[in-house]
Amino acid sequence: MTVASYFSQDYFEARRRFAEAGERAGAVLASHRHPGTGPGGETLSTDVAWLGPRDAERVLVSISGTHGAEGFCGSGVQIGWFESGLAGELPEGLAYMAIHAINPHGFAWLRRVTEDNIDLNRNFADFSVPLPRNSGYEELAEALCPPTWDDATITATRDVLVAYVEAHGRAALQAAVSGGQYSHPDGIFFGGQRPTWSHETLKALFSKDLAKARQIAVIDYHTGLGPRGHGERICAAEPQSPGLARVEAWYGDDHTCPALGTSSSTEISGHNVIGMEAAAPHAEVTAIALEYGTLPTEEVKLALRADNWLHLHGEVDSAKGRAIKAQIREAFYQDADDWKQMVWDRAVETQRLALAGLTSKQSEAVG
């Protein structure tokens, strides 16, 4: 099979192929049904494949679809890992856990968010205390998510964003827009007011399925940020933390950290590693997001804003709606052989390094 053949055309094909590939590779499969349905009333679920000892103390975890429409990338890697036979490289005593479409609603509906318009990677905040305030987002909320969507509106709101950059700088705009916000439920990058279904499901998987694990390596697949086809290894850990030290030991200088200002990503509130660590306090969690670039950042953000307008004010099944969905797909999935090859090569290298890290003494030394 070619690398391009590992990637699916929609969530439903991806789900079927993931299950078939995992079963052929000898993995144990489990399905967690989502309460909602797909665009045609179809069943949705997060599916899990486990390969290796159930009581393994060292486990590599891959996650696809945290941001729904970004799921094509991670799903392709997960399917390819089984189909190619690379899953057979698993060192003795280690296990591999593939979490497919942790946000199945977003994957099926071609949305970055969950069924309740929540950005899952901003949803792991502490809801028992006042939530973080993003004053920059509050200032820009109307311009980011206007009630109309046409060329005139796009131009006018772009002028507002340009003025913000001139006043505060591009980094401030990025933090305002994508750092996470908890005040506008209908807006973009909304972190929610309570845990969403995908949040609860991810934490349950870490607390139950990984109860025996002592060292967990996580690779969470993302798209839409950075140069086309480049896979940036982003570590959300704090400077001087054991988690960042392990990432440095495993991946060398080939990683970035938003808290150190070295990443194309801004620091974000309520990211999912917080939930993983809380659900598995018995284990060392060494986590990265592997982020692949697609289109220029402005085009990606424009697609997100258009999709937000569509689901609030437009009609998905219309010419304009279909055009926006095509725009979203292109922003988060490059259906081109060269892009898929770059995704695959970087993923194989990264997962092999994670497995090596799990088997090394370095992991124990910096824990």
Side-chain angles (χ1 to χ4, degrees):
M1 297 180 73
T2 64
V3 165
S5 70
Y6 299 146
F7 296 80
S8 304
Q9 289 302 303
D10 58 36
Y11 160 79
F12 303 100
E13 179 190 350
R15 182 190 177 200
R16 173 182 58 79
R17 294 186 60 201
F18 173 80
E20 292 172 352
E23 186 173 21
R24 283 194 294 268
V28 176
L29 303 173
S31 183
H32 303 267
R33 184 166 180 173
H34 187 276
T37 58
E42 307 94 336
T43 296
L44 303 178
S45 69
T46 291
D47 299 293
V48 180
W50 182 285
L51 192 64
R54 292 300 309 200
D55 60 351
E57 293 190 352
R58 302 185 184 203
V59 184
L60 170 62
V61 177
S62 70
I63 303 173
S64 67
T66 295
H67 286 141
E70 300 179 20
F72 294 96
C73 168
S75 172
V77 171
Q78 291 171 325
I79 291 168
W81 195 249
F82 289 129
E83 290 284 6
S84 67
L86 287 177
E89 294 184 357
L90 199 63
E92 185 177 355
L94 270 69
Y96 172 58
M97 179 184 186
I99 303 174
H100 185 266
I102 188 62
N103 171 11
H105 174 92
F107 198 168
W109 286 84
L110 278 180
R111 301 210 70 198
R112 191 174 177 276
V113 294
T114 65
E115 63 279 3
D116 32 16
N117 196 50
I118 288 174
D119 184 317
L120 181 58
N121 209 31
R122 310 294 189 277
N123 187 233
F124 292 85
D126 183 352
F127 295 107
S128 67
V129 299
L131 293 166
R133 181 184 175 189
N134 185 337
S135 57
Y137 185 93
E138 292 173 13
E139 180 179 340
L140 295 171
E142 187 174 347
L144 289 170
C145 301
T148 58
W149 195 255
D150 51 33
D151 290 345
T153 301
I154 292 169
T155 299
T157 57
R158 181 184 291 122
D159 290 344
V160 173
L161 301 181
V162 169
Y164 191 90
V165 170
E166 292 174 349
H168 305 285
R170 188 160 297 279
L173 177 67
Q174 186 181 13
V177 175
S178 59
Q181 56 90 10
Y182 300 86
S183 57
H184 290 69
D186 292 337
I188 56 175
F189 297 98
F190 175 57
Q193 298 291 333
R194 62 186 62 82
T196 192
W197 180 89
S198 296
H199 170 138
E200 300 282 18
T201 300
L202 183 64
K203 289 185 71 172
L205 289 171
F206 269 71
S207 64
K208 296 175 183 177
D209 290 34
L210 296 169
K212 300 291 186 181
R214 294 296 172 265
Q215 293 179 331
I216 303 168
V218 178
I219 302 174
D220 184 18
Y221 285 89
H222 290 260
T223 60
L225 189 63
R228 181 179 182 273
H230 172 65
E232 180 183 347
R233 297 169 180 148
I234 303 175
C235 178
E238 293 298 318
Q240 311 303 320
S241 67
L244 181 56
R246 289 192 297 273
V247 166
E248 292 170 346
W250 294 9
Y251 303 108
D253 293 334
D254 196 354
H255 72 278
T256 66
C257 177
L260 293 174
T262 58
S263 176
S264 61
S265 172
T266 191
E267 288 190 80
I268 60 178
S269 301
H271 56 76
N272 59 6
V273 181
I274 295 170
M276 298 174 199
E277 292 177 338
H282 51 278
E284 292 177 350
V285 178
T286 307
I288 61 167
L290 190 51
E291 176 84 45
Y292 293 95
T294 51
L295 299 176
T297 300
E298 275 195 25
E299 293 184 41
V300 174
K301 293 294 195 298
L302 196 65
L304 281 176
R305 294 169 60 210
D307 189 63
N308 177 268
W309 171 87
L310 176 63
H311 285 268
L312 282 177
H313 306 288
E315 296 180 14
V316 176
D317 190 17
S318 67
K320 191 171 186 176
R322 287 187 288 273
I324 288 173
K325 284 304 176 186
Q327 189 180 3
I328 279 285
R329 184 185 176 93
E330 183 72 7
F332 296 111
Y333 175 52
Q334 297 278 282
D335 197 0
D337 289 358
D338 68 322
W339 187 83
K340 296 171 187 177
Q341 188 69 55
M342 288 187 284
V343 165
W344 175 251
D345 291 344
R346 183 67 161 173
V348 170
E349 176 189 53
T350 302
Q351 294 198 172
R352 282 175 166 165
L353 287 173
L355 288 172
L358 284 171
T359 58
S360 73
K361 295 298 182 183
Q362 286 178 310
S363 177
E364 298 171 348
V366 299

